[in-house]
C-alpha cells in the first residue's frame, strides 16, 4: 500500500564506475550465509522544499548464486509525475571485468501491480536482465525527483535474509527550513550499529561490515534484529495536499479531512442496501449481518489509485463493481455501517508475520494494510474486509498483537489489536484408529482449528479438488497414507473455527516383532526437527503461541492385548508444556496428549534448552506401545 521508492540494495553508484569489483575482494565473513553481498551503497536525499525532494541512489551488489536472482533485477518504483534521470547499469563478471552496460532506454515500464496493469498509479521501471553464470556484480544508479515529501524511507542495512553488507551510507540534506525529525532504533541484540556524522543541515549515516542473517532454525525476521533510522518532516506534501505530521493528532486530522472525508459519500443505492437487510438486535448482531453481506458481494483486487495510493475508492464504485483493495473495501464497509447508525474507524496497520507496531512517540507515514475498528460497550469489533472466507470479528496471525492507527475526525488514536493466547490458537483432534494385523491402520479423525490455526486451515478453501488429496497427505506427513478423504469441511464464520473429518488408511504403522506388534503413541503431530547449534550467533523466536490437544482411541486387533505401555509424561519449561497419558479400556487404548507452546523472543544461550524441550516432546510422541497375542 505504501509507496516504495526503490529496492535500496539494487541501486548502483555512478561514482564507482572507475572501479571494478572482483568477488575475491569480498571478506570471507560476508560470504558466509550470503546469496547477495551489498558492496557499496550510497543514498543522498535532498529535501529542497515542502513539495520538492530528490533521491540520488547508487550501489554495487554481487550476486553469488541463483537464489538471489529476484533481488538482483534492477528496478525503480515510482509514481506518475516523478522524474527519473541518470539511469546507469553496468554488469561485471566474477573477476570484475565489464560484461555489459545499460541505460534508461533498456528498461521496461510496467504497472507496479501484482494483478496486472489496471487500477494503479504506481509504476516500475525494470531491466529484463538474465545472468548466464554466477557470481556476477551489478552496478546501478539513478536520480528521482518527487513532489511527495511524506515518504522518506528508513535507513536499514538490508531487509532480507541471506544478504550481507560491506558499506552503506545515507546522506540526508534538509534545505527546506522545515523541521526534520529522526530517530535511531538500536539493534536489540547488538547485531550492528549505525555511525552518525552531523554537519549543520547535512547528516551522514553509515553501516559497515554487516554479516548475512541466515534463514535458519527459528531465526527472527531481520527487522527484529537490525537497527534502523527513521525520518519524518513536520510538514509534508502528498499529491498537492500539504499537512502536518508533527503529532499523531495533526496527522490524523489531516488524514481524515483530506483522504477520508472526500470518499465518505453515501448514495441512494447504498441506503437501499442497508434498508433491505432489515437490521435488528444488538450492535454486534447488526455489524455481523452487514459484514457478512459485504463479504458475499465483494472480492479483493489490488488498487493503487487516489492520493499517493493512500486514498480509498469511492464507496459507490465498490458497491457497483463488487471489488476493491483493503482501502476501498474497508471504506465501503464503513459507509454501510454509517448508514446503519454504527460508528466505525478506518485503521492503518502493519500486516506481517512478525508483529510490528507504530512508535507512539514518532509520528510517521507508515503501514501497509487497513482494517476497520468498531468500538462497543463490550470492547472493539475488528473487521478484516479483504477476505470472503474470514470469520466475523476475527483478525489473522498477521494483524494480531500489534497496534493500529485509528483515524478519527480529531486525530489518531493508537489502539492495540487482540493478542491471542496459546489456548485460543488451538488444534483439537480426535482419532479413532483400528490397528490391523497387516501393520496398517484404518482411521477416522475429527479436526477443529481456532485462532491462528483457523487462518492456516482456511487454505483448504482455495485448493482445487484435484490437488487437495496430495496437499492433505503432505500436511499430515507423519503417516504413510494409502488413501485419505476429507469430509464435512465447515468454515464457521460466526465463531472463527474450521472443522472437518478425515477418513484414511495408512500403511506400515506397526512393526512386527515375533508374534507381537509395536507402534508409536501419536500418529499425527507437527513434524519439526530442531537441531542443536552450539555455535549459534543469533537469538530465536517462537512466533506463535499455540496449543494442540489430541485424543487417540486405538482399537486392538482381535485376539491381542496391551503388553507394554510407556509411562505418562508431564513436561514444563519456560517455552511451554507437554502432557501425555495412556489408559487401557477393554480392547482399547486411549492416549491423551496436550502440547502448549509460548510465544517469545529468546537469547541464543537458551537455544540448547529449547531444542532439548522439543526433542523430549518428539521422543514421547514416538514412544512405543507393545501388543501381543493372547494365549
Amino acid at each position: 500500500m505504501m509507496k516504495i521508492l526503490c529496492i535500496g540494495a539494487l541501486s548502483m553508484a555512478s561514482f564507482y564506475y572507475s572501479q571494478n569489483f572482483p568477488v575475491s575482494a569480498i571478506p570471507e565473513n560476508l560470504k558466509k550465509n550470503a546469496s547477495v553481498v551489498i558492496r557499496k551503497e550510497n543514498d543522498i536525499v535532498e529535501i529542497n522544499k515542502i513539495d520538492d525532494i530528490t533521491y540520488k541512489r547508487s550501489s554495487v551488489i554481487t550476486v553469488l548464486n541463483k537464489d538471489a536472482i529476484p533481488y538482483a533485477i534492477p528496478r525503480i518504483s515510482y509514481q506518475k509525475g516523478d522524474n527519473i534521470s541518470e539511469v546507469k547499469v553496468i554488469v561485471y563478471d566474477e573477476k570484475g571485468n565489464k560484461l555489459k552496460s545499460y541505460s534508461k532506454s533498456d528498461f521496461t515500464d510496467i504497472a507496479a501491480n501484482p494483478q496486472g496493469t489496471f487500477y494503479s498509479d504506481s509504476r516500475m521501471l525494470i531491466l529484463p536482465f538474465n545472468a548466464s553464470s554466477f557470481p556476477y556484480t551489478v552496478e546501478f544508479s539513478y536520480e528521482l525527483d518527487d513532489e511527495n515529501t511524506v515518504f522518506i524511507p528508513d535507513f536499514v542495512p538490508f531487509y532480507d535474509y541471506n544478504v550481507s553488507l560491506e558499506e552503506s551510507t545515507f546522506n540526508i540534506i534538509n534545505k527546506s527550513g522545515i523541521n526534520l525529525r529522526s530517530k535511531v532504533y538500536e539493534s536489540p541484540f547488538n547485531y550492528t550499529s549505525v555511525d552518525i556524522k552531523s554537519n549543520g543541515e547535512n547528516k551522514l549515516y553509515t553501516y559497515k561490515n554487516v554479516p548475512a542473517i541466515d534463514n535458519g532454525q527459528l531465526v527472527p525476521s531481520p527487522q527484529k534484529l537490525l537497527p534502523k533510522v527513521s525520518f519524518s518532516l513536520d510538514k509534508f506534501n502528498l499529491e498537492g495536499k500539504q499537512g502536518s505530521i508533527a503529532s499523531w493528532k495533526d496527522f490524523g486530522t489531516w488524514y481524515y479531512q483530506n483522504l477520508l472525508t472526500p470518499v465518505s459519500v453515501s448514495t441512494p443505492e447504498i441506503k437501499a442496501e442497508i434498508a433491505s437487510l432489515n437490521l435488528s438486535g444488538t450492535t454486534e448482531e447488526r455489524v455481523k449481518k452487514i459484514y457478512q453481506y459485504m463479504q458475499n458481494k465483494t472480492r479483493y483486487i489490488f488498487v493503487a489509485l487516489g492520493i499517493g495510493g493512500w486514498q480509498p475508492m469511492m464507496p459507490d464504485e465498490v458497491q457497483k463493481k463488487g471489488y476493491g483493495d483493503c482501502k476501498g473495501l474497508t471504506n465501503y464497509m464503513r459507509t454501510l455501517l454509517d448508514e446503519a447508525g454504527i460508528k466505525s474507524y478506518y485503521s492503518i496497520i502493519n500486516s506481517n508475520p512478525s508483529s510490528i507496531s507504530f512508535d507512539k512517540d514518532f509520528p510517521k507515514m507508515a503501514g501497509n494494510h487497513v482494517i476497520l475498528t468498531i468500538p462497543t460497550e463490550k470492547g472493539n469489533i475488528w473487521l478484516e474486509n479483504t477476505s470472503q472466507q474470514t470469520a466475523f470479528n476475527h483478525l489473522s496471525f498477521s494483524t494480531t498483537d500489534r497496534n493500529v492507527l485509528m483515524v478519527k475526525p480529531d486525530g489518531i488514536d493508537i489502539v492495540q489489536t487482540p493478542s491471542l493466547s496459546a489456548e485460543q490458537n488451538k488444534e483439537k483432534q480426535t482419532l479413532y484408529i483400528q490397528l490391523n494385523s497387516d501393520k496398517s491402520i484404518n482411521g477416522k479423525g475429527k479436526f477443529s482449528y481456532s485462532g491462528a490455526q483457523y487462518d492456516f486451515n482456511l487454505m483448504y478453501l482455495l485448493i482445487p479438488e484435484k490437488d487437495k488429496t496430495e496437499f492433505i497427505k503432505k500436511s499430515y506427513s507423519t503417516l504413510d497414507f494409502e488413501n485419505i478423504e476429507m469430509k464435512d469441511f465447515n468454515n464457521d464464520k460466526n465463531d472463527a473455527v474450521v472443522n472437518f473429518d478425515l477418513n484414511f488408511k495408512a500403511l506400515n504403522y506397526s512393526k512386527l516383532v515375533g508374534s507381537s506388534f509395536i507402534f508409536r503413541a501419536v500418529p499425527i503431530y507437527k513434524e519439526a526437527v530442531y537441531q542443536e547449534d552450539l555455535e549459534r550467533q543469533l537469538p530465536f523466536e517462537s512466533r506463535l503461541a499455540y496449543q494442540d490437544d489430541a485424543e487417540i482411541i486405538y482399537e486392538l486387533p482381535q485376539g491381542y492385548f496391551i503388553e507394554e505401555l510407556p509411562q505418562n509424561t508431564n513436561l514444563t519449561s519456560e517455552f511451554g508444556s507437554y502432557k501425555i497419558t495412556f489408559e487401557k479400556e477393554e480392547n482399547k487404548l486411549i492416549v491423551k496428549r496436550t502440547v502448549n507452546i509460548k510465544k517469545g523472543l529468546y537469547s541464543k544461550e537458551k537455544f540448547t534448552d529449547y531444542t532439548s524441550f522439543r526433542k523430549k516432546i518428539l521422543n514421547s510422541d514416538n514412544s512405543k506401545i507393545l501388543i501381543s497375542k493372547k494365549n
Side-chain angles (χ1 to χ4, degrees), residues 74-202:
R75 69 196 80 183
I76 306 168
S77 296
Y78 71 99
Q79 291 280 316
K80 288 181 178 179
D82 292 347
N83 179 51
I84 300 168
S85 61
E86 304 299 324
V87 180
K88 297 177 183 178
V89 177
I90 297 179
V91 180
Y92 302 90
D93 67 11
E94 181 176 1
K95 295 181 179 179
N97 300 314
K98 179 179 174 180
L99 295 175
K100 195 169 182 179
S101 61
Y102 301 88
S103 65
K104 184 178 178 181
S105 61
D106 296 306
F107 281 68
T108 300
D109 193 335
I110 64 173
N113 179 349
Q115 297 186 4
T117 59
F118 300 103
Y119 317 118
S120 180
D121 284 336
S122 300
R123 307 292 301 173
M124 181 181 289
L125 289 177
I126 186 166
L127 182 66
F129 168 75
N130 292 312
S132 57
S133 62
F134 300 91
Y136 64 92
T137 298
V138 182
E139 189 173 11
F140 176 28
S141 67
Y142 67 88
E143 294 185 14
L144 185 148
D145 296 311
D146 195 352
E147 68 172 7
N148 298 322
T149 52
V150 73
F151 298 115
I152 301 174
D154 292 337
F155 180 45
V156 298
F158 42 78
Y159 290 92
D160 297 325
Y161 296 105
N162 306 114
V163 178
S164 65
L165 169 69
E166 284 193 60
E167 182 176 1
S168 178
T169 62
F170 191 96
N171 191 357
I172 190 159
I173 306 166
N174 182 17
K175 305 174 183 177
S176 68
I178 303 168
N179 183 49
L180 173 68
R181 291 176 289 108
S182 63
K183 186 169 183 177
V184 176
Y185 298 85
E186 301 287 356
S187 167
F189 297 95
N190 297 316
Y191 195 78
T192 190
S193 60
V194 63
D195 178 73
I196 306 171
K197 290 183 172 63
S198 181
N199 182 14
E201 65 184 17
N202 186 347

Side-chain angles (χ1 to χ4, degrees), residues 367-434:
N368 61 3
H369 188 50
V370 175
I371 59 176
L372 202 62
T373 310
I374 302 101
T376 74
E377 292 181 356
K378 296 181 179 179
N380 290 329
I381 294 173
W382 303 92
L383 298 182
E384 168 58 65
N385 301 287
T386 60
S387 172
Q388 295 170 295
Q389 288 82 34
T390 296
F392 169 74
N393 196 18
H394 173 79
L395 293 181
S396 75
F397 68 95
S398 65
T399 49
T400 50
D401 195 23
R402 67 204 69 199
N403 61 28
V404 302
L405 305 179
M406 193 168 75
V407 184
K408 304 175 76 172
D410 58 352
I412 278 174
D413 285 353
I414 299 182
V415 183
Q416 197 73 15
T417 63
S419 179
L420 301 184
S421 66
E423 292 78 7
Q424 290 171 301
N425 295 324
K426 182 180 284 191
E427 174 194 73
K428 186 176 181 179
Q429 57 171 272
T430 304
L431 299 178
Y432 301 89
I433 303 291
Q434 174 64 58

